[in-house]
Each structure stands twice: as structure tokens, then as C-alpha cells.
Amino acid sequence: MVFTAEANYKESFAKAVAHLSTQDMPVQWRIKAVDDLIEVYVKQVGEVPDGDQLERLTNYILRDSKNQPDKVSNTEYPVFSEWQQKHRSRREVPLEYVGGLPVEAKRVGIRLKHRHKQKRIA
């Protein structure tokens, strides 16, 4: 791929990004291909590619990675990030607190003192 100042190098880079993003390959190969494309561009043009094209390349790398927003329902044993684990533990309530409550209390919600804070349950 040749990116020169005489030709419209930004447009040719956008075409190269579009062509690369149609290729189906493993993540490691995608990372290598994107890295090579950016290196060639910087060597030939002398500047960093446009931010929109870099975003397209990033999306191409992450296209079907494990970065799924709904991984809990799609995976049998999901791995939570630290933030997700804290958030989930704040929202979960042991069944012993909820099990014996009347239906009206479950609809309206109950408050439990937990860690010196009142927390709405159910």
C-alpha cells in the first residue's frame, strides 16, 4: 500500500481501512495487520492517521472479542470485572431476607440496614 502526498492519502487510507475491516481473521492477526497498516502510513506520510479511521480500526480489532455488554446472560460462567462484581454485590439480596415477605412488600420494596446505610431491597 502506498500513501503519498501527491495522491489523496487520507482517502486511500480510508479505503485500506475499509478493505481490512472486511477481512475475517483471529484477533492476534487483526492486531498485527492494523499495526502494520498504521506503521506504513506513518512512515510514508509522516503523520498519525485520522481519528475516525483509528476508531474504525479499533472497532475492527474488538469486533468479536470478549468485550460483550451482555456477557452474564450469554455465558454460563461469566467473569466479572472488579467494578461489575462490586455493583452486583451491592444489588443482590440473600433469599432469607426476601423469601418470607408478603407480595405487597416485594412490590413496594423494603429497606435493610446494611453497612450502616439504608438500602432498598426487592
Side-chain angles (χ1 to χ4, degrees):
M1 184 81 30
V2 178
F3 305 107
T4 61
E6 294 85 32
N8 190 351
Y9 58 91
K10 289 188 179 187
E11 187 176 305
S12 61
F13 185 73
K15 288 179 183 177
V17 169
H19 175 71
L20 181 63
S21 61
T22 62
Q23 305 298 314
D24 189 28
M25 52 180 114
V27 177
Q28 293 84 8
W29 293 5
R30 281 186 246 165
I31 292 170
K32 176 73 171 132
V34 167
D35 190 40
D36 291 344
L37 181 65
I38 292 173
E39 282 184 22
V40 167
Y41 183 85
V42 170
K43 282 182 184 175
Q44 291 179 5
V45 176
E47 62 183 44
V48 178
D50 186 34
D52 292 338
Q53 301 308 322
L54 291 176
E55 183 178 355
R56 287 176 63 196
L57 289 170
T58 304
N59 291 340
Y60 170 63
I61 291 173
L62 297 175
R63 181 170 50 195
D64 43 55
S65 68
K66 295 179 181 176
N67 218 0
Q68 301 169 354
D70 193 23
K71 66 182 176 186
V72 176
S73 62
N74 294 336
T75 309
E76 187 173 359
Y77 298 106
V79 177
F80 291 115
S81 66
E82 185 177 335
W83 177 87
Q84 288 172 324
Q85 186 63 39
K86 286 180 183 178
H87 182 69
R88 184 172 180 163
S89 66
R90 277 188 257 127
R91 296 183 69 194
E92 287 181 342
V93 178
L95 286 176
E96 59 204 35
Y97 292 135
V98 182
L101 294 175
V103 175
E104 293 81 27
K106 290 179 185 175
R107 283 192 204 130
V108 175
I110 60 171
R111 294 194 179 267
L112 267 183
K113 288 190 176 182
H114 183 67
R115 298 182 195 150
H116 305 289
K117 293 181 182 177
Q118 282 197 351
K119 189 173 186 180
R120 188 180 173 124
I121 306 297

